[in-house]
Amino acid sequence: NLLDVIIENSVDVDGFGACEGTLACSTCHLIFKQTDFEQLPSPPTDEELDMLDLAFDLHETSRLGCQVI
Ligand code: FES
């Protein structure tokens, strides 16, 4: 599950989800392994991509955690 992914990737979860999933922050930014990224149930919306652009250390496999839970 997603928590395993977070632990596996050693993401710093301090302040995770500051906006409670309303796409108003990027504290839930996650960088997935390619294999996990491909398993995600839905592609990012334009709103998610806009917010991801503001995220620190953006990767090809970046998503906002609140949008993939
Ligand atoms: Fe703020 Fe995900 S919790 S964008």
Side-chain angles (χ1 to χ4, degrees), residues 5-24:
V5 175
I6 293 170
I7 293 165
E8 224 172 291
N9 291 343
S10 302
V11 173
D12 181 0
V13 293
D14 271 4
F16 182 90
C19 78
E20 299 180 340
T22 57
L23 278 177

Side-chain angles (χ1 to χ4, degrees), residues 1 4 6 8 11 13 23 28-29 35 46-47 51 58 68:
N1 66 23
D4 293 334
I6 293 170
E8 224 172 291
V11 173
V13 293
L23 278 177
C28 63
H29 177 210
T35 46
D46 288 346
E47 288 77 13
M51 195 52 67
L58 187 64
V68 296

